[in-house]
Amino acid sequence: MADWFLTNWQTIYGIGALIAWALFALICFFGVWWFAAERYQFPGLALGWLPGAIAALTAAVVAAALWPLVVVGGIWIAAARSY
């Protein structure tokens, strides 16, 4: 089992990075756009996609690079909240 991980670590990391990038991009983009639309009504709906896109790109790149730490941190937080 360890040999398989050692020979395929680039594929595992790449797939994890792609999944993390997509999830964080979608969450940040729609989250910021939704916030802008709710706070600023029509102008936020019309122009909120721009800060949403910038936030999504930034968060997605960081999450894609550091996704193993994000997964470990998420498990740690979930375990701490279950008590």
Side-chain angles (χ1 to χ4, degrees):
M1 185 71 147
D3 292 336
W4 184 83
F5 281 115
L6 290 175
T7 56
N8 295 320
W9 70 269
Q10 290 176 329
T11 304
I12 295 167
Y13 188 85
I15 291 170
L18 184 63
I19 292 169
W21 186 89
L23 287 175
F24 273 75
L26 286 172
I27 290 168
C28 286
F29 178 74
F30 287 111
V32 171
W33 196 7
W34 189 288
F35 172 77
E38 185 174 327
R39 178 146 175 121
Y40 303 110
Q41 284 80 35
F42 183 72
L45 181 64
L47 298 174
W49 64 269
L50 184 58
I54 293 168
L57 180 64
T58 304
V61 167
V62 171
L66 302 176
W67 75 264
L69 295 176
V70 171
V71 168
V72 170
I75 292 170
W76 181 62
I77 290 171
R81 298 188 108 215
S82 66
Y83 292 117

